[in-house]
Amino acid sequence: MQDIGVAVVGAGFIGPVHVEGLRRAGVNVTGILGVSDDESNTAAAHLGLPRAYRRFEEILDSAAVAAVHIATPNRLHFALARQALQAGKHVLCEKPLAMNSRESAELVALAAQSNLAAGVNYNIRYYPLCLQMREMVRSGEVGRVFSVCGSYVQDWLLYPTDYNWRVLAEEGGDLRAVADIGTHWLDLIHAITGLEVESVCADLATVHPVRQRPKGEVETFSGKSGRVIATEPVEINTEDSGCILLRFAGGGRGCLWVSQVTAGRKNCLRLELAGSGGAMAWNSEQPNELWIGHRERANELLLRDPALVYDAVRPYISFPGGHNEGFPDTFKQCFRAFYGYIRQGDFAAPPTFPTFADGHREIVLCEAILASHRQRQWVPVAAAGER
Ligand SMILES: NC(=O)c1ccc[n+]([C@@H]2O[C@H](COP(=O)([O-])OP(=O)(O)OC[C@H]3O[C@@H](n4cnc5c(N)ncnc54)[C@H](O)[C@@H]3O)[C@@H](O)[C@H]2O)c1
């Protein structure tokens, strides 16, 4: 895939993870763009990239760039993705795809007319045992899905002195914990079960209505370093945690807990699915283990091993059993799927990666969740657009 040149926009926490994942997927990274020349230069030097871009237009005008990865704060996603598609570049955008469903619907429509690949980086789908769960549902092994429950919890915003652009609605969107991490869980459940959420009942909480904002920018997760810096108080109107009941089309039920203020949980996504043929449970902090529950015989613990999974999962495993794979590997596998699709060149073929339509579905869900919280009642989810 060295023939496809990719530029990465955003040089904070996740931009460099994209660079690493692209290279491990055998994709040629042409360069990186940060918020300033200084950030672009430092990132390019640190990552050993040939080019530090000065402006986004340089990327759009470059014949060497076929695809753009967007890894900036959320408020920029829509404009950057739209410009990139209009310039004829494939786009892989970080989640959430946009700030609201009007923007994401426009991107879905633009992508559909474009003959380009347009993806959203819901990388968690690519943990091999998540793909195994999907195959266990598809094959009928777990039968009819009755319920899916779980959580996505972190602790990096536990203290009122913890700060990041995400806590401001104008930077990250009206929802924070739900949009930032909850949508990973919701996307994963959709990818595994194919079930559509029909309605939601949400109760959200902002435990710190005021946070101390450092004077200057803060990279994601860097607040834990303990450095003392000058701060100013800022009012917070995005949620730190929340509980959401879900009703799926067909009668299934679900429940999701999200929190960015749970001490000791660093980045912990858990899910438990109950079906007529058995149950399954998985935790992203032990991603190489899948619990399989039975009624009539002993439960099982499946360790990730290419020899022990469904055929459809095997291509997404790069290492033998016992050689653990984790977070960075999901990026590599997501990018392999995305660039494998581009190389095949048939943009009418069913996508093998999370699309803009998937990103739009998540934003529509977020809007229903926020409406439910504000109205203190169940809210139906409007139909998400098609790719
Ligand atoms: N899929 C995942 O697992 C995952 C994990 C973390 C973050 N994300 C997403 O990635 C995005 C970035 O998050 P992050 O945690 O890396 O944030 P961050 O603050 O650590 O990094 C953002 C970067 O974008 C740069 N930037 C800001 N404005 C820019 C501009 N106009 N042009 C170019 N660069 C600009 C910033 O300087 C910074 O380098 C968010 O949308 C977030 O939701 C996804």
Side-chain angles (χ1 to χ4, degrees):
M1 304 203 222
Q2 285 293 329
D3 47 327
I4 304 172
V6 181
V8 174
V9 186
F13 166 47
I14 219 66
V17 179
H18 280 246
V19 172
E20 186 185 310
L22 283 162
R23 284 171 156 169
R24 291 180 64 212
V27 181
N28 171 32
V29 185
T30 58
I32 192 161
L33 174 68
V35 73
S36 61
D37 288 356
D38 201 31
E39 188 175 73
S40 305
N41 290 338
T42 305
H46 185 67
L47 295 162
L49 289 171
R51 185 115 187 233
Y53 293 105
R54 299 276 161 263
R55 294 174 310 114
F56 189 53
E57 288 68 26
E58 264 181 57
I59 293 173
L60 300 181
D61 293 344
S62 170
V65 175
V68 178
H69 281 222
I70 299 170
T72 63
N74 306 350
R75 96 186 132 74
L76 301 167
H77 292 181
F78 169 67
L80 295 174
R82 185 170 60 172
Q83 279 179 272
L85 285 175
Q86 285 170 340
K89 313 293 185 192
H90 306 288
V91 175
L92 191 70
C93 186
E94 265 303 346
K95 36 53 61 174
L97 176 59
M99 293 288 271
N100 55 56
S101 61
R102 184 184 39 75
E103 290 181 353
S104 56
E106 187 179 328
L107 290 176
V108 171
L110 194 59
Q113 304 155 4
S114 70
N115 212 29
L116 294 162
V120 180
N121 190 38
Y122 281 114
N123 59 297
I124 296 179
R125 290 185 187 191
Y126 291 88
Y127 278 103
L129 291 179
C130 291
L131 295 165
Q132 175 73 4
M133 282 189 271
R134 182 191 73 185
E135 293 309 307
M136 288 171 71
V137 173
R138 282 187 182 172
S139 70
E141 196 179 328
V142 296
R144 181 162 72 87
V145 177
F146 301 144
S147 64
V148 194
C149 295
S151 55
Y152 198 156
V153 290
Q154 304 178 324
D155 74 0
W156 70 292
L157 294 173
L158 175 60
Y159 302 128
T161 46
D162 292 324
Y163 182 84
N164 180 267
W165 54 262
R166 285 167 172 80
V167 303
L168 299 182
E170 58 270 29
E171 292 287 319
D174 287 336
L175 282 179
R176 188 225 312 160
V178 172
D180 196 32
I181 53 179
T183 60
H184 267 301
W185 190 93
L186 291 161
D187 176 78
L188 181 61
I189 297 316
H190 184 264
I192 291 172
T193 66
L195 293 175
E196 297 288 349
V197 179
E198 252 182 12
S199 52
V200 295
C201 180
D203 185 17
L204 312 177
T206 304
V207 299
H208 298 306
V210 175
R211 285 180 181 267
Q212 296 302 317
R213 172 166 53 192
K215 295 180 173 167
E217 245 336 299
V218 190
E219 194 179 293
T220 311
F221 290 109
S222 64
K224 289 177 161 185
S225 68
R227 275 180 303 126
V228 179
I229 20 189
T231 62
E232 59 195 349
V234 59
E235 272 185 41
I236 303 300
N237 50 14
T238 56
E239 81 289 358
D240 291 308
S241 62
C243 185
I244 303 150
L245 295 178
L246 308 161
R247 279 191 202 159
F248 296 105
R253 298 293 202 273
C255 130
L256 166 64
W257 171 251
V258 291
S259 166
Q260 293 181 313
V261 290
T262 298
R265 296 293 179 203
K266 304 303 171 190
N267 188 47
C268 184
L269 184 157
R270 286 175 286 196
L271 69 88
E272 182 158 313
L273 182 154
S276 54
M280 309 186 288
W282 182 80
N283 176 343
S284 66
E285 290 190 345
Q286 281 93 41
N288 293 282
E289 298 177 10
L290 175 64
W291 178 87
I292 304 170
H294 301 290
R295 158 90 174 240
E296 308 292 350
R297 59 191 165 95
N299 298 333
E300 296 170 82
L301 191 66
L302 172 65
L303 300 187
R304 182 203 53 83
D305 184 328
L308 300 176
V309 295
Y310 277 86
D311 290 347
V313 180
R314 206 161 295 122
Y316 297 95
I317 301 182
S318 295
F319 299 97
H323 300 72
N324 286 333
E325 294 178 44
F327 179 75
D329 299 271
T330 62
F331 284 69
K332 178 183 81 174
Q333 300 298 356
C334 183
F335 301 165
R336 283 178 66 198
F338 187 70
Y339 289 99
Y341 184 85
I342 291 173
R343 291 215 61 194
Q344 278 199 333
D346 176 8
F347 297 105
T352 52
F353 55 87
T355 62
F356 275 20
D358 293 317
H360 175 60
R361 180 193 304 105
E362 293 305 319
I363 291 173
V364 170
L365 261 173
C366 282
E367 289 175 354
I369 288 166
L370 187 57
S372 165
H373 167 70
R374 287 181 174 159
Q375 296 165 20
R376 300 171 73 91
Q377 63 181 18
W378 282 91
V379 165
V381 179
E386 298 297 321
R387 180 174 185 270

